[in-house]
């Protein structure tokens, strides 16, 4: 990977937590361009070092007060974690609803995805605005799509190469591209999200410049 694409795989083994840095047992690898490696490592280290005693006390008090509140939903009923579910023909989020009967099914998938991501990452995810995109695809495909997105951009999802490799998922991949584009337009072109495999209960972190 280093010689072919000037990139390396990076695994974050420590995450910031209200009680201090914790070992991240479920940390996944992410592919990082070599010229961005040092700045990304410094950014992650700064995040860990910024957990002060004052923040620890505040978080402990907040956790005690909110311990009875379901973590995946706020008082308004919206998801604390922005979760987007990608179906064959369209994607859904908390603001993009459909008829009542179908929305119940979609909402159940989104709620389950949010809870499982919390289980994977711990409470560190609550401090992040990183959205989660859930897809009904095997994790091996999710990992390959992550590499395509990082190195070749959004258009790679509908390229001939991908269509040839995964002919049965053309509609899902096109819808995934639309969902990513929606996030990208809200973040001035920068794209960072978790791509979650519902089938295998596993995820990949995608960071695009």
């Amino acid at each position: 990977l280093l010689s072919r694409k000037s990139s390396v795989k990076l695994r974050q083994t420590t995450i910031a937590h209200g009680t201090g840095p914790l070992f991240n047992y479920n940390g996944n690898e992410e592919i990082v361009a070599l010229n961005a490696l040092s700045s990304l490592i410094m950014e992650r280290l700064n995040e860990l070092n910024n957990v002060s005693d004052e923040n620890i006390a505040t978080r402990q008090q907040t956790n005690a007060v909110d311990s009875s509140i379901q973590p995946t939903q706020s008082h308004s009923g919206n998801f604390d974690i922005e979760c987007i579910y990608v179906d064959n023909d369209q994607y859904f989020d908390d603001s993009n609803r459909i008829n009542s009967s179908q929305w119940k099914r979609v909402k159940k998938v989104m709620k389950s995805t949010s809870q499982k991501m919390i289980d994977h990452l711990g409470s560190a995810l609550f401090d992040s605005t990183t959205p989660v995109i859930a897809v009904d695809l095997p994790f091996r495909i999710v990992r390959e799509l992550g590499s395509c997105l990082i190195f070749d951009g959004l258009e790679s999802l509908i390229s001939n190469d991908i269509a040839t490799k995964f002919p049965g998922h053309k509609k899902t991949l096109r819808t995934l591209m639309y969902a990513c584009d929606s996030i990208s337009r809200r973040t001035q072109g920068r794209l960072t999200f978790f791509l979650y495999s519902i089938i295998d209960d596993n995820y990949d972190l995608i960071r695009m410049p």
Side-chain angles (χ1 to χ4, degrees), residues 140-141 144 148 159-169 173:
R140 65 177 184 83
I141 297 181
E144 185 158 351
C148 291
S159 67
N160 290 332
D161 288 343
I162 291 295
T164 302
K165 283 185 178 180
F166 312 117
H169 302 297
L173 297 180

Side-chain angles (χ1 to χ4, degrees), residues 174-190:
R174 181 175 292 275
T175 306
L176 174 60
M177 183 185 70
Y178 293 149
C180 293
D181 182 65
S182 175
I183 297 173
S184 178
R185 284 187 275 108
R186 289 191 280 108
T187 56
Q188 289 77 47
R190 297 194 63 181

Side-chain angles (χ1 to χ4, degrees), residues 25-201:
Y25 293 96
N26 294 314
N28 273 40
E29 293 177 344
E30 56 182 297
I31 300 174
V32 181
L34 198 60
N35 58 7
L37 180 62
S38 59
S39 60
L40 179 59
I41 292 175
M42 290 301 298
E43 177 185 330
R44 297 287 172 84
L45 290 174
N46 288 334
E47 289 175 0
L48 293 176
N49 293 333
N50 285 337
V51 180
S52 64
D53 292 338
E54 181 179 349
N55 288 336
I56 292 173
T58 301
R59 293 187 185 193
Q60 288 174 337
Q61 292 173 2
T62 302
N63 289 339
V65 172
D66 295 339
S67 60
S68 62
I69 299 177
Q70 188 173 354
T72 56
Q73 290 186 290
S74 63
H75 295 295
S76 63
N78 296 322
F79 294 100
D80 289 333
I81 300 172
E82 182 185 0
C83 184
I84 299 171
Y85 171 55
V86 173
D87 207 349
N88 280 338
D89 298 315
Q90 66 182 116
Y91 64 90
F92 309 99
D93 55 27
D94 198 32
S95 60
N96 182 24
R97 303 191 179 194
I98 42 181
N99 65 74
S100 299
S101 59
Q102 196 173 356
W103 172 245
K104 289 180 180 179
R105 178 185 67 85
V106 172
K107 185 177 179 180
K108 184 177 180 180
V109 172
M110 293 164 67
K111 182 177 179 180
S112 173
T113 297
S114 298
Q115 185 59 59
K116 288 178 179 178
M117 287 301 300
I118 293 169
D119 293 341
H120 280 302
L121 294 175
S123 61
L125 188 60
F126 288 117
D127 299 327
S128 175
T129 58
T130 305
V132 178
I133 299 181
V135 291
D136 287 308
L137 296 173
F139 184 62
R140 65 177 184 83
I141 297 181
V142 165
R143 287 304 300 267
E144 185 158 351
L145 295 179
S147 297
C148 291
L149 285 166
I150 291 171
F151 293 116
D152 302 317
L154 292 180
E155 295 294 330
S156 65
L157 293 177
I158 55 173
S159 67
N160 290 332
D161 288 343
I162 291 295
T164 302
K165 283 185 178 180
F166 312 117
H169 302 297
K170 287 182 181 180
K171 289 185 177 180
T172 300
L173 297 180
R174 181 175 292 275
T175 306
L176 174 60
M177 183 185 70
Y178 293 149
C180 293
D181 182 65
S182 175
I183 297 173
S184 178
R185 284 187 275 108
R186 289 191 280 108
T187 56
Q188 289 77 47
R190 297 194 63 181
L191 194 58
T192 300
F193 63 95
F194 294 104
L195 188 56
Y196 175 77
S197 166
I198 298 173
I199 295 174
D200 293 326
D201 183 24

